[in-house]
Structure formats: structure tokens, C-alpha cells
Amino acid sequence: MIWVIAGTLDGRTLAVEIQKRTGEDVLVTVVSQYGAELAAHIGITVHTGRLDQEAMQDLIKKHNVRLLIDASHPYAAIVTATAQDAAKAEGIPFVRFERKEVPLPDYDKLHIVVDEVEAANLAGKLAKENNSHVYLTTGSKTMHIFAKSEALQDCEVWTRILPTAEVLQMMEDLNVSPKRIVAVQGPFSYDMNRIMFHDTKASVVVMKNSGLVGGADTKLQAAMDLGIHVIVIDRPRVKIEGHVVSSNDEFFKLWEDTNGLR
């Protein structure tokens, strides 16, 4: 069986294409029930839930996994490192599938930071120099950092999240006002991003470089055209010992060159 950690749309798409083109059984793992619904497809087994290394190794043994493909989100560094270690421990090939970054332009209001803590501090500083309006497009996973940041306490912070009960409950637990929650699934067009940034009077947009599939290009362009500050959280870097691909075509070229990575 081939295992695809599918934390992204392109991961789910890859899993389906692998099953169709190779005829092999495919296991897809996701974190949430919503992710499981999106991943459901004929010929694919879906496992839902977070996994530590021990659980990953158990899954490899249980399903007789012979190849592990990590298509988790570009910012899920812990998942990638853990999956690579699990594959190494079980003696099976590991492939990292990671979408390419969007090239960052020369823009005088573009700021690159290393993590969410630095992003929150800088967003608060920049916002208070303007109208104190911040728009977060970084999702819910690290929302606790922004919600608890002292630098943002006096700012009007808008947050764009996935509209699931679990995520909304998380926002409620963090005392985030429903008034400033935009609960809708992306990615979003340039026009929609521009409308959202404009209507919320954002002076700072915080984003990740999630690639074209993640809509990073449309967020960036919309913010630039409005002349507002853009804070980009840089991707975490994980040393990959095996193969790295960034498209289905690259993966199947690797598949052919390595005889199915056998």
C-alpha cells in the first residue's frame, strides 16, 4: 500500500491520481473529519486523526505500507520531520511533495518574518502606526499566538478561518469576537481578497507563502494594490534526506525513473 499524508488539496489530488494510474491501494491520512470527507474516493482508504511517530510506524505495519508520501501543508514542519523519521525507522522510501513558493516581489511594505510570534509583534507595531486594523489569513492552527499577543491587544484583528464547528469552538475559547471572524473556505480570488481587505480597512495583512494552490499570489497582489503592509511568515525548513517533488508530473517522472520507488 502507498500512504499519502494529505494535508492539502494537491495531496488529495495526488492520492487519487496514484490510485488511478498505478492501481495500487492508497492510504490517505487527514487530521479532521472535514478533511476525511474531502479525501473520500473509490479505491482510497482514509484514516482520520493526528499521529505521532509511534502511531505512524504502527500504521505502516498495519497497512503494509511500502512508500510514504508526505503532502502535508508546507508549514507543517513537525509532521514532515516525524513522517520522515517513521519511514526511516520502518525502512521504506520517503517522498516529500511540497508546492513551490510564490516569488516575493520588490515591495516597500513587504516584511518577511520567521514565525507567528514575530508576525504578531510586527503587525501590532505597523497597525498602530496606521489605523490599527489587521487582517490574518494564517488559519486557525496558530491563532492562539495572535489572540494572546500583547502587541495586538489594542488592534482590530480580523481572522479568516475554515467554517467548521471545531475551528469555531477554538475561536470562541480564545475569546475572539464573532464580529471579526470571516469563516469561509478558500482559496480566494484576487477580487475577493481585495474586497475583504478593503472592507475591513486593513492596514496590515499577515499571510504565509503557501504557493499558488494556497492562494498566496492573489492575497499578495490584492494587498499590494491597496498599498497596505504585508507580513509574510517564512516557511519552516526541514532537511529532507529523500526525494522532493512539487507536482504530480514530477512525482510520476520519479516513479518511472525508480520503478515505482521499489
Side-chain angles (χ1 to χ4, degrees):
M1 179 173 273
I2 297 172
W3 175 10
V4 179
I5 299 177
T8 57
L9 170 61
D10 28 15
R12 297 190 296 271
T13 302
L14 175 65
V16 171
E17 190 166 352
I18 288 174
Q19 198 283 322
K20 287 182 175 179
R21 289 178 61 165
T22 70
E24 293 202 39
D25 293 330
V26 177
L27 169 68
V28 169
T29 53
V30 295
V31 173
S32 68
Q33 184 56 44
Y34 180 61
E37 293 172 6
L38 294 176
H41 194 276
I42 296 174
I44 289 180
T45 300
V46 180
H47 175 91
T48 307
R50 297 186 184 280
L51 302 165
D52 58 16
Q53 184 175 334
E54 182 179 358
M56 286 185 177
Q57 290 182 228
D58 288 344
L59 211 58
I60 290 171
K61 295 170 185 172
K62 177 182 177 181
H63 292 279
N64 194 25
V65 173
R66 70 168 189 85
L67 168 63
L68 173 51
I69 304 167
D70 170 35
S72 59
H73 193 276
Y75 285 76
I78 294 176
V79 174
T80 295
T82 304
Q84 183 170 233
D85 289 344
K88 186 175 182 179
E90 294 301 319
I92 63 173
F94 174 84
V95 175
R96 172 61 175 152
F97 183 100
E98 183 170 297
R99 62 179 70 147
K100 292 181 179 179
E101 297 176 282
V102 171
L104 297 178
D106 183 13
Y107 175 52
D108 61 355
K109 293 182 179 180
L110 178 66
H111 315 270
I112 302 173
V113 298
V114 297
D115 57 25
E116 285 79 4
V117 174
E118 186 178 354
N121 289 334
L122 180 57
K125 178 178 179 296
L126 293 172
K128 288 168 186 174
E129 292 173 357
N130 294 276
N131 64 359
S132 294
H133 288 210
V134 177
Y135 196 107
L136 303 177
T137 69
T138 48
S140 61
K141 187 176 180 181
T142 55
M143 184 55 202
H144 61 283
I145 296 174
F146 295 99
K148 297 177 181 179
S149 172
E150 291 186 9
L152 293 172
Q153 290 306 305
D154 296 325
C155 295
E156 184 171 304
V157 180
W158 289 80
T159 309
R160 198 157 71 191
I161 58 167
L162 196 63
T164 66
E166 179 185 8
V167 174
L168 290 170
Q169 183 61 56
M170 180 192 306
M171 301 297 281
E172 184 175 337
D173 293 343
L174 289 170
N175 294 317
V176 177
S177 171
K179 179 181 178 181
R180 299 194 182 101
I181 294 175
V182 181
V184 60
Q185 181 182 351
F188 304 94
S189 67
Y190 164 84
D191 289 335
M192 182 167 283
N193 275 311
R194 180 165 177 143
I195 289 170
M196 289 182 179
F197 300 161
H198 177 270
D199 285 1
T200 55
K201 299 180 175 61
S203 57
V204 180
V205 169
V206 183
M207 61 176 281
K208 297 176 180 178
N209 194 339
S210 302
L212 293 175
V213 176
D217 56 332
T218 57
K219 296 176 195 175
L220 185 57
Q221 192 60 57
M224 289 172 55
D225 287 351
L226 289 169
I228 59 184
H229 288 278
V230 183
I231 298 175
V232 179
I233 301 172
D234 199 13
R235 287 190 182 184
R237 309 298 169 179
V238 178
K239 183 179 179 181
I240 303 299
E241 298 177 7
H243 300 280
V244 180
V245 297
S246 59
S247 69
N248 287 13
D249 287 343
E250 285 184 23
F251 173 78
F252 285 106
K253 175 67 166 56
L254 174 64
W255 179 273
E256 293 170 2
D257 291 346
T258 59
N259 190 27
L261 275 75
R262 294 185 187 276

